[in-house]
């Protein structure tokens, strides 16, 4: 899979921009704050219907404009097709083959991307919220059903939290309505947890092999999904639901005191172990970077396996964060097979033939020229 053409209208610092890409490597060179990352972000947003940098869609619209638009032509094994994301202050609309999609969950997954930026190191060393976002976004690309289930879960969580909030500090709650919300919440939570367990098992298969290769066989990477409730991946849906019901009954008094739901997938986490040691706590900076790189390369392989298409890889100012060995390992893996976009202030320090044959775009003050 690759994107042939990109057109931006009123997006960030670009009033209009039209670019044609190589199906292999595309490099954007320029100083910081010139607009390189905005192009990367637009490709990501075109695929995922959201930015990787902000949750406020209004920030994507050019200053004083009423709307922003990202258009692309994507090539996959079946042929090429247009894809479009329109952003207004009221919301977003996605089109595939000029047909508006009623739900964004139907739109996502038509164009698969893997983004690797310096902030992705936070997947390893950041907060549980960052890791939950990582896992939800990646499952959503290969399973549109999951996005629908996630939206349902978030809606039910919000309803249950609202009921807890308005009864905060009370000893009792309307048990009939609360029981209905809790039962629906449990059923939805179980679907999310099961999907996450399945995804992590698949990710583990690829990441372990890749990490071993990068570390020259000296390290073994283990990825674990950690439900805060202690659920087991081998349990049936009924067993999981029963266990969650028991846990929620145990914390009901505390939930009323605090006015929030204390048990569920919105509080779960991922754990990364290298040679059985927690990388977040005990890993060196090199081990944390190798773990993050292994995750991103495993994502590529997993998406290829599940969709039968190689995703588009976005490397936003990340090559400078990797030493020569890790750079070479990444570029050797993607060479000739994965359409890749790279942003950098200079290619002088990147000694790899893949970059030497790339299509170069020079970015300066929101203007882009290519050779």
């Amino acid at each position: 899979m690759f994107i042939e053409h990109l057109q931006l209208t009123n997006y960030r610092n670009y009033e209009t921009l039209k670019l044609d890409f190589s199906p292999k490597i595309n490099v954007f060179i320029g100083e910081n704050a010139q607009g390189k990352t905005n192009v990367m972000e637009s490709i990501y947003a075109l695929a995922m219907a959201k930015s990787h940098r902000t949750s406020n869609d209004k920030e994507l619209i050019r200053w004083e404009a009423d709307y922003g638009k990202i258009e692309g032509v994507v090539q996959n094994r079946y042929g090429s097709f247009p894809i479009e994301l329109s952003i207004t202050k009221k919301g977003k609309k996605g089109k595939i083959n000029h047909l508006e999609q009623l739900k964004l969950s139907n739109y996502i997954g038509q164009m698969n991307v893997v983004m690797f930026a310096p902030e992705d190191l936070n997947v390893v060393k950041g907060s549980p919220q960052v890791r939950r976002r990582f896992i939800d976004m990646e499952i959503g690309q290969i399973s549109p059903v999951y996005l629908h289930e996630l939206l349902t879960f978030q809606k039910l969580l919000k309803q249950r939290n609202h009921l807890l909030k308005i009864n905060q500090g009370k000893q009792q709650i309307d048990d009939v309505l609360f029981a209905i919300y809790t039962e629906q919440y449990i059923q939805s939570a179980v679907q999310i947890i099961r999907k996450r367990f399945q995804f992590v098992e698949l990710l583990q298969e690829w990441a372990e092999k890749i990490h071993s290769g990068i570390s020259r066989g000296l390290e073994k990477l283990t990825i674990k999904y950690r439900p805060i409730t202690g659920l087991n991946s081998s349990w049936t849906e009924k067993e999981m639901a029963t266990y969650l019901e028991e846990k929620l009954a145990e914390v009901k008094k505390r939930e009323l005191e605090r006015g929030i739901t204390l048990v569920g997938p919105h509080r779960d986490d991922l754990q990364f172990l290298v040679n059985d040691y927690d990388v977040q706590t005990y890993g060196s900076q090199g081990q944390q970077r190798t773990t993050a790189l292994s995750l991103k390369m495993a994502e590529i392989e997993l998406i290829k396996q599940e969709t039968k298409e190689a995703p588009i890889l976005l490397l936003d100012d990340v090559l400078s964060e990797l030493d020569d060995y890790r750079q070479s390992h990444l570029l050797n893996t993607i060479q000739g097979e994965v359409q890749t976009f790279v942003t950098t202030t200079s290619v002088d320090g990147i000694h790899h033939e893949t970059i030497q044959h790339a299509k170069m775009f020079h970015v300066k003050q929101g203007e882009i020229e290519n050779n």
Side-chain angles (χ1 to χ4, degrees):
M1 174 179 290
F2 61 91
I3 179 169
E4 300 174 347
H5 176 77
L6 178 72
Q7 182 170 332
L8 304 181
T9 306
N10 296 329
Y11 186 89
R12 292 283 194 181
N13 65 325
Y14 295 104
E15 185 175 2
T16 58
L17 179 68
K18 295 180 181 180
L19 297 172
D20 294 308
F21 299 128
S22 162
K24 295 186 178 178
I25 309 290
N26 301 271
V27 178
F28 290 82
I29 306 169
E31 296 301 319
N32 292 329
Q34 301 300 302
K36 303 189 305 293
T37 293
N38 290 346
V39 175
M40 291 291 229
E41 178 191 46
S42 72
I43 297 171
Y44 184 91
L46 184 63
M48 304 298 291
K50 64 166 63 177
S51 165
H52 68 292
R53 294 192 289 172
T54 178
S55 58
N56 184 358
D57 294 328
K58 293 176 185 176
E59 292 178 18
L60 307 182
I61 303 171
R62 190 170 180 267
W63 181 252
E64 293 187 338
D66 294 325
Y67 74 98
K69 187 186 289 186
I70 314 167
E71 299 170 82
V73 177
V74 178
Q75 178 82 38
N76 64 16
R77 67 185 188 278
Y78 299 115
S80 65
F81 60 93
I83 184 171
E84 177 186 312
L85 183 71
S86 298
I87 308 159
T88 68
K89 289 165 186 178
K90 293 182 179 178
K92 295 172 288 194
K93 292 181 180 178
K95 290 183 181 179
I96 301 164
N97 257 332
H98 307 294
L99 297 174
E100 185 175 322
Q101 304 301 299
L102 296 178
K103 296 178 180 177
L104 284 176
S105 56
N106 296 335
Y107 171 88
I108 298 167
Q110 299 298 314
M111 171 181 156
N112 294 313
V113 297
V114 170
M115 165 72 82
F116 192 18
E119 57 264 30
D120 286 310
L121 290 170
N122 286 329
V123 172
V124 177
K125 61 184 184 181
S127 67
Q129 183 179 1
V130 173
R131 287 183 284 279
R132 285 193 295 269
R133 185 178 187 276
F134 159 75
I135 195 171
D136 287 338
M137 296 300 287
E138 299 318 317
I139 301 174
Q141 285 204 81
I142 58 178
S143 174
V145 173
Y146 179 80
L147 285 178
H148 177 71
E149 289 170 347
L150 187 63
L151 289 171
T152 300
F153 169 77
Q154 290 168 342
K155 180 181 176 183
L156 290 167
L157 174 63
K158 188 175 181 180
Q159 289 174 335
R160 192 175 188 273
N161 279 345
H162 177 69
L163 196 57
L164 285 166
K165 191 71 177 175
I166 61 176
N167 287 278
Q168 187 175 1
K170 296 180 183 177
Q171 295 296 314
Q172 295 294 326
I173 192 169
D174 182 342
D175 279 336
V176 175
L177 184 58
F178 189 66
I180 291 170
Y181 278 173
T182 299
E183 183 182 355
Q184 293 175 337
Y185 169 81
I186 288 170
Q187 296 306 318
S188 182
V190 167
Q191 298 306 313
I192 299 300
I193 291 166
R194 284 173 65 84
K195 277 280 196 324
R196 286 180 178 176
F197 268 129
Q198 291 164 6
F199 175 79
V200 170
E201 285 174 12
L202 291 171
L203 192 66
Q204 166 70 33
E205 286 179 30
W206 286 108
E208 183 179 341
K209 286 183 275 190
I210 290 166
H211 192 99
S212 178
I214 298 172
S215 67
R216 300 177 175 91
L218 297 175
E219 296 177 353
K220 180 183 178 182
L221 174 63
T222 306
I223 308 171
K224 292 185 177 181
Y225 176 48
R226 294 289 195 193
I228 198 169
T229 48
L231 286 161
N232 192 300
S233 62
S234 63
W235 293 356
T236 64
E237 285 187 31
K238 187 175 181 181
E239 288 171 331
M240 285 187 180
T242 300
Y243 187 79
L244 277 177
E245 189 178 358
E246 292 170 355
K247 286 293 175 184
L248 285 165
E250 286 176 16
V251 299
K252 183 178 177 182
K253 186 177 178 182
R254 282 171 51 213
E255 286 186 331
L256 277 168
E257 288 171 358
R258 296 181 58 184
I260 55 170
T261 300
L262 296 175
V263 173
H266 62 296
R267 299 174 69 87
D268 295 347
D269 200 358
L270 285 178
Q271 185 181 28
F272 305 106
L273 305 170
V274 169
N275 294 343
D276 297 325
Y277 288 95
D278 189 310
V279 182
Q280 183 182 25
T281 307
Y282 302 106
S284 66
Q285 190 176 60
Q287 286 174 322
Q288 290 175 345
R289 288 183 177 187
T290 300
T291 300
L293 178 57
S294 300
L295 276 178
K296 290 298 170 179
M297 292 169 68
E299 277 184 66
I300 294 170
E301 298 301 330
L302 181 52
I303 289 173
K304 277 163 61 178
Q305 175 183 293
E306 295 297 309
T307 68
K308 312 305 178 192
E309 296 271 8
I312 295 162
L313 178 62
L314 308 173
L315 301 175
D316 189 19
D317 199 27
V318 79
L319 290 182
S320 60
E321 297 282 321
L322 304 173
D323 58 28
D324 288 348
Y325 179 73
R326 291 184 180 89
Q327 271 186 22
S328 294
H329 208 285
L330 173 59
L331 294 171
N332 285 338
T333 300
I334 62 170
Q335 194 170 14
E337 190 176 359
V338 179
Q339 186 186 33
T340 304
F341 293 84
V342 177
T343 63
T344 182
T345 54
S346 172
V347 293
D348 293 345
I350 306 170
H351 308 295
H352 196 281
E353 61 178 320
T354 301
I355 295 296
Q356 312 312 317
H357 296 101
K359 185 170 185 178
M360 299 289 183
F361 297 86
H362 297 272
V363 187
K364 188 173 183 179
Q365 295 180 340
E367 299 290 331
I368 299 181
E369 297 178 358
N370 71 275
N371 57 4

